[in-house]
């Protein structure tokens, strides 16, 4: 049996979509916060594959690099450092189930309306534009970013600079009574500042000699 | 591709950005108790930026609107006029900040660099011709402001204020961005002028109105209009006075520009929708601002509530049609000059370890120094809108525009609450002139700060000479949008 490319794509889509939904549900249902964060990583990863399927390679890679690589690692750090105690299931069920069901029902109704609207054909559902082989997503994003959106891009760079300056200004301050050593001060020390050389007249050892004389 | 010639209209922005970096570096080599050179550099930057902005408006040269960077940046008369006002405001902010930070032996280059970055954000917002550019300018301004509020790290009130400002500011930015995304979803473009055309060509505006609501909530937060005003008094009170006087002045002009660019230029077709929303915000702001201000004993909080009511007046102007926009532009310019002077007065009376931010601190100011009591009288009376001063005329123009549009009830409510508001301004004047002073401490400030403050306060009288010219300019530049 030969699998056609379309069928293969559909299989990939359904496998990864199932995993996405499953891990997304696991994020909110699992009681251990660390598992929950790890399921979020799985969810991001599967979403990235789905983006690959619609030929958004750059976004897919960025999602993995930025969210999985940086943001989720930070999340995990924070979760592990905070030592969050596992909430008791009994408490949770009583207080939140009704509200959660209400919100879920509202979202379901909204989605159904959206689907009905879409199926009625009022919103034109454009087919995905397929690019030729060898089409570079990254080059295209870069081209747009550095020509059409160069001005917003530069401002974003300035915002990052401000963020760095502000963060350093608010955290890097010398505290009173800090005993940290300053190497440059130690090296640049001048003997004259520390040691006072006093020139005194040489004196005879009179006191002892006198007392001895008195005794005798 | 673009060449050097395309950068020419953006020279003021480029200058401010480069000088912010220079100030940042120079700040490393400056003593915390002095720092005169940093202030000098910052003031010079503003002056040169003003020259670069004004050089295209010399008589005899035809000024044409230019749009560069693929339509994300616009240079027009409206923007240039607001920018020049921002430069002037920033110059006085720099002088007052110097005075305040020297009192606290904490004058660092970063403070002035962040002020310059914030100025850049304001300029980007004023010149934004694309939703992304407008939003990024707003974020640049906001991030710098959060850091400036938290500047005194050991001050618990300051930290609390910065935290509140940050969280509510982030929420407001999120609202604004969500509204922008809805509008983008409905029209498929982010360019200001293209949005206007795209809306005119379609009749289904449900998405647009939803987006508009979120945009107005975002702008309302940034302006500090009631019912989105909760952060204003706490931030004004908690922040270092030097930061408060900055937040109270130049960013309001940026928020005004944001409102005009988004509502007036891109969503002009939806005017019926946003006019009623703004009218509600305006009236609620005027009522809340004036009533709550009555009970304040802290001058910074009092000015915060008075800001809310002034913002209400400004928003009221936007309801009044084309002339109303000119009137509210005039209003916001006049108001920022008064506000910066009022807070400058608090800075002047403060000294090391004591902030003169209670009304009681102004007791008997007339005995201590007749001149400064007179200056404060001018500023406060102008805020209240007493007839010979410029604050009266700015209110008059707004009310005239609103009445011309037939909103007589709005105007009547505004006037009634402005009269109620005059009470707390009069209280300050009464305290200064008719009560005994508790201290006889001399007012200690350097000559330049005193000069700037005097000019600032005397502008309440001096601008009367320029009044018709200034208002004509406002009408012209808003007409040319």
């Amino acid at each position: 049996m030969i699998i056609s490319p379309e069928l293969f794509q559909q299989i990939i889509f359904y496998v990864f979509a199932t995993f996405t939904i499953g891990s997304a549900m696991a994020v909110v249902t699992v009681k251990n916060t660390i598992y929950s964060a790890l399921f979020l990583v799985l969810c991001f990863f599967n979403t990235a594959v789905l983006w690959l399927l619609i030929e958004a390679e750059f976004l897919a890679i960025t999602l993995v690099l930025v969210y999985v690589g940086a943001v989720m690692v930070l999340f995990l750090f924070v979760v592990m450092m905070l030592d969050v105690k596992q909430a008791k299931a009994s408490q949770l069920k009583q207080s939140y189930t009704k509200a959660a069901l209400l919100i879920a029902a509202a979202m379901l109704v909204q989605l159904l309306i959206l689907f009905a609207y879409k199926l009625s054909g009022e919103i034109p559902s454009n087919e995905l534009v397929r690019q030729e082989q060898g089409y570079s997503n990254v080059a295209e994003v870069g081209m747009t970013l550095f020509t059409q959106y160069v001005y917003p891009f530069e401002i974003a760079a300035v915002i990052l600079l401000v963020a760095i300056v502000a963060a350093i200004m608010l955290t890097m301050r010398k505290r009173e009574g800090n005993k940290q050593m300053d190497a440059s001060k130690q090296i640049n020390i001048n003997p004259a500042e520390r040691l006072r050389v006093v020139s005194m007249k040489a004196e005879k050892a009179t006191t002892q000699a006198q007392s001895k004389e008195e005794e005798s | 591709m673009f060449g050097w010639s395309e950068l020419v209209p953006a020279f003021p922005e480029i200058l401010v950005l480069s000088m912010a970096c220079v100030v940042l570096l120079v700040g490393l080599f400056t003593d915390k108790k002095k720092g005169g050179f940093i202030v000098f550099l910052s003031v010079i930057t503003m002056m040169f930026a003003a020259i670069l902005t004004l050089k295209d408006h010399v008589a005899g040269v035809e000024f044409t609107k230019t749009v560069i960077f693929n339509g994300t940046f616009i240079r027009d008369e409206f923007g240039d006029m607001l920018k020049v006002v921002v430069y002037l405001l920033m110059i006085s902010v720099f002088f007052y900040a110097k005075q305040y930070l020297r009192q606290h032996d904490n004058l660092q280059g970063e403070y002035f660099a962040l002020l310059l970055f914030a100025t850049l954000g304001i300029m980007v917002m004023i010149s934004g011709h694309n939703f992304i550019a407008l939003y990024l300018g707003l974020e640049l301004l906001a991030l710098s402001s959060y850091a400036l509020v938290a500047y005194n790290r050991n001050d618990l009130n300051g930290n609390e204020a910065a935290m509140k400002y940050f969280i509510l500011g982030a929420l407001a930015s999120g609202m604004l961005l969500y509204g922008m995304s809805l509008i983008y979803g409905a029209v498929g473009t982010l360019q200001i002028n293209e949005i206007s055309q795209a809306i005119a060509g379609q009749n289904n505006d449900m998405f647009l109105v939803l987006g508009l609501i979120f945009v107005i909530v975002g702008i309302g937060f940034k302006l500090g209009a009631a019912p989105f005003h909760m952060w204003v008094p706490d931030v004004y009170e908690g922040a270092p006075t030097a930061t408060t006087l900055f937040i109270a002045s130049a960013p309001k002009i940026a928020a005004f520009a944001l409102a005009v660019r988004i509502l007036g230029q891109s969503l002009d077709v939806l005017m019926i929708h946003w006019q009623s929303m703004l009218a509600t915000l305006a009236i609620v702001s005027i009522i809340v601002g004036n009533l709550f201000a009555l009970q304040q004993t802290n001058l910074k909080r009092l000015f915060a509530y008075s800001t809310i009511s002034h913002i209400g007046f400004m928003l009221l102007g936007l309801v009044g049609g084309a002339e109303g926009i000119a009137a509210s532009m005039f209003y916001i310019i006049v108001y920022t000059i008064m506000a910066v002077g009022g807070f400058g007065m608090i800075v002047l009376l403060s000294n090391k370890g004591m902030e003169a931010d209670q009304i009681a601190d102004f007791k008997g100011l007339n005995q201590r120094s007749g001149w400064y009591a007179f200056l404060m009288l001018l500023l406060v009376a102008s805020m209240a809108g007493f007839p010979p001063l410029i604050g009266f005329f700015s209110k008059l123009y707004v009310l005239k525009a609103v009445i011309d549009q037939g909103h007589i009830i709005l105007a009547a409510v505004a006037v009634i609450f402005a009269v109620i508001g005059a009470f707390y301004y009069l209280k300050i004047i009464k305290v200064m002139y008719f009560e005994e002073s508790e201290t006889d401490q001399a007012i200690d400030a350097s000559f330049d700060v005193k000069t700037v403050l005097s000019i600032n306060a005397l502008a309440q009288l001096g601008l009367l000479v320029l009044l018709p010219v200034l208002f004509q300019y406002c009408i012209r530049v808003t007409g040319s949008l």
Side-chain angles (χ1 to χ4, degrees), chain A:
Chain A
M1 191 183 92
I2 302 161
I3 300 174
S4 70
E6 283 79 22
L7 182 65
F8 185 62
Q9 260 188 9
Q10 282 192 344
I11 292 171
I12 294 182
F13 174 78
Y14 282 112
V15 168
F16 282 92
T18 318
F19 268 100
T20 309
I21 295 172
S23 55
M25 282 171 70
V27 171
V28 286
T29 47
V30 164
K31 277 170 202 142
N32 190 325
T33 339
I34 293 174
Y35 289 163
S36 173
L38 288 173
F39 272 116
L40 197 55
V41 172
L42 185 66
C43 182
F44 280 144
F45 188 76
N46 283 296
T47 319
V49 175
L50 291 182
W51 281 359
L52 270 182
L53 272 182
I54 55 167
E55 297 187 357
E57 296 92 357
F58 180 69
L59 280 179
I61 293 167
T62 327
L63 185 73
V64 173
L65 283 183
V66 175
Y67 277 88
V68 178
V71 176
M72 285 318 296
V73 172
L74 269 181
F75 257 60
L76 277 176
F77 265 128
V78 172
V79 168
M80 287 176 179
M81 284 170 105
L82 282 182
D83 187 28
V84 185
K85 291 204 176 96
Q86 289 187 19
K88 278 180 193 162
S90 56
Q91 291 174 338
L92 279 179
K93 266 179 194 162
Q94 279 172 356
S95 51
Y96 296 119
T97 316
K98 277 179 193 166
L101 278 177
L102 195 72
I103 292 169
M107 280 170 74
L108 185 69
V109 170
Q110 283 174 325
L111 278 176
L112 285 178
I113 292 172
L114 187 71
F115 280 129
Y117 195 55
K118 179 128 183 161
L119 287 177
S120 71
E122 278 196 50
I123 298 175
S125 56
N126 290 338
E127 283 298 312
L128 187 68
V129 183
R130 294 277 169 194
Q131 303 292 347
E132 289 169 24
Q133 208 174 13
Y135 173 85
S136 170
N137 206 276
V138 181
E140 207 57 29
V141 169
M143 201 62 192
T144 319
L145 207 56
F146 286 103
T147 54
Q148 198 180 349
Y149 290 105
V150 67
Y151 179 62
F153 181 78
E154 296 293 335
I155 306 167
V158 178
I159 290 179
L160 286 181
L161 175 65
V162 167
I164 295 170
V165 171
I168 293 177
M169 186 191 87
L170 294 179
T171 51
M172 289 271 287
R173 284 212 186 151
K174 283 207 176 125
R175 292 206 184 97
E176 293 292 320
N178 191 341
K179 303 232 165 96
Q180 195 184 18
M181 282 186 287
D182 188 343
S184 66
K185 268 189 186 169
Q186 289 182 328
I187 295 166
N188 287 328
I189 202 70
N190 187 355
E193 289 171 5
R194 285 203 166 169
L195 198 68
R196 198 159 55 98
V197 184
V198 187
S199 58
M200 289 176 76
K201 259 190 206 168
E203 286 179 32
K204 289 174 194 169
T206 45
T207 45
Q208 278 192 347
Q210 278 174 355
S211 54
K212 272 184 185 174
E213 275 171 26
E214 279 168 15
E215 278 173 23
S216 62

Side-chain angles (χ1 to χ4, degrees), chain B residues 144-461:
Chain B
S144 317
S145 311
Y146 305 146
L148 288 171
V149 171
Y151 184 69
N152 285 339
R153 202 177 62 148
N154 300 327
D155 178 15
L156 277 181
N157 285 334
N159 287 351
E160 188 195 329
M163 206 65 201
K164 277 182 187 164
Y165 195 23
F166 176 68
I167 291 172
L168 288 177
L171 187 71
S173 299
M175 294 270 185
L176 187 69
L177 206 54
Y178 188 50
M180 286 175 171
S181 74
L182 282 174
I183 293 169
Y184 176 66
V187 297
T189 174
L190 289 164
Q191 293 296 112
I192 299 269
N193 50 349
E194 289 172 13
I195 290 173
S196 176
Q197 293 159 6
I199 297 175
Q202 68 180 134
N203 45 16
N204 177 13
D205 56 10
M206 195 187 76
F207 264 117
L208 285 169
V209 174
L210 194 61
L212 175 69
I213 293 171
F214 279 101
V215 166
I216 286 193
V217 170
I219 295 174
F221 255 115
K222 293 292 169 188
L223 277 169
F228 314 112
H229 65 285
M230 299 303 182
W231 60 273
V232 181
D234 291 337
V235 172
Y236 275 34
E237 189 190 4
T241 313
T243 307
T244 311
L245 68 90
F246 166 69
I247 294 176
S249 58
K252 302 290 177 211
I253 288 189
F256 168 74
L258 183 77
V260 170
R261 295 265 187 229
I262 294 184
L263 301 179
Q265 272 190 294
S266 66
L267 303 178
D268 50 349
V269 185
L270 303 177
M271 193 188 266
I272 309 162
H273 297 289
W274 58 255
Q275 275 196 339
S276 54
M277 296 183 205
L278 286 189
T280 318
L281 285 188
I283 289 301
V284 175
S285 300
I286 293 173
I287 294 174
V288 166
N290 281 320
L291 287 186
F292 281 74
L294 291 174
Q295 301 163 354
Q296 304 304 322
T297 53
N298 183 307
L299 202 55
K300 278 158 103 178
R301 273 190 102 79
L302 191 150
F303 278 154
Y305 282 109
S306 107
T307 305
I308 296 170
S309 73
H310 282 285
I311 288 297
F313 257 96
M314 193 278 280
L315 288 174
L316 200 60
L318 292 179
V319 181
E323 197 177 327
I325 295 180
S328 68
M329 180 173 177
F330 184 72
Y331 195 94
I332 200 75
I333 291 172
V334 168
Y335 169 67
T336 46
I337 297 172
M338 300 186 294
V340 86
F343 284 108
M345 212 67 202
I346 300 179
V347 169
L348 186 82
L349 292 189
S350 306
N351 47 43
K352 196 165 185 173
M354 196 279 288
E355 293 224 12
D357 60 357
Q358 300 294 324
I359 296 182
D361 291 327
F362 280 73
K363 268 185 188 171
L365 184 63
N366 190 32
Q367 299 161 342
R368 284 167 70 192
S369 163
W371 176 242
Y372 292 118
F374 174 65
L375 293 183
M376 188 70 180
L377 169 75
L378 283 182
L379 288 165
V380 170
S382 188
M383 280 188 203
F386 289 127
L389 297 163
I390 190 133
F392 167 73
F393 289 96
S394 59
K395 278 196 170 63
L396 182 73
Y397 287 141
V398 166
L399 290 172
K400 185 175 166 295
V402 173
I403 291 172
D404 284 349
Q405 290 285 312
H407 304 296
I408 295 173
I409 299 172
L410 289 183
V413 174
V415 170
I416 290 170
F417 280 91
V419 172
I420 293 175
F423 171 76
Y424 57 83
Y425 294 116
L426 283 173
K427 197 162 72 180
I428 303 173
I429 297 172
K430 182 203 114 193
V431 162
M432 284 192 307
Y433 279 91
F434 301 110
E435 286 188 20
E436 289 295 313
S437 174
E438 284 170 354
T439 75
D440 52 352
Q441 199 169 29
I443 292 165
D444 170 40
S446 56
F447 175 72
D448 49 358
V449 178
K450 287 179 180 174
T451 317
V452 170
L453 187 61
S454 304
I455 294 172
N456 194 329
L458 289 177
Q460 308 306 321
L461 279 174

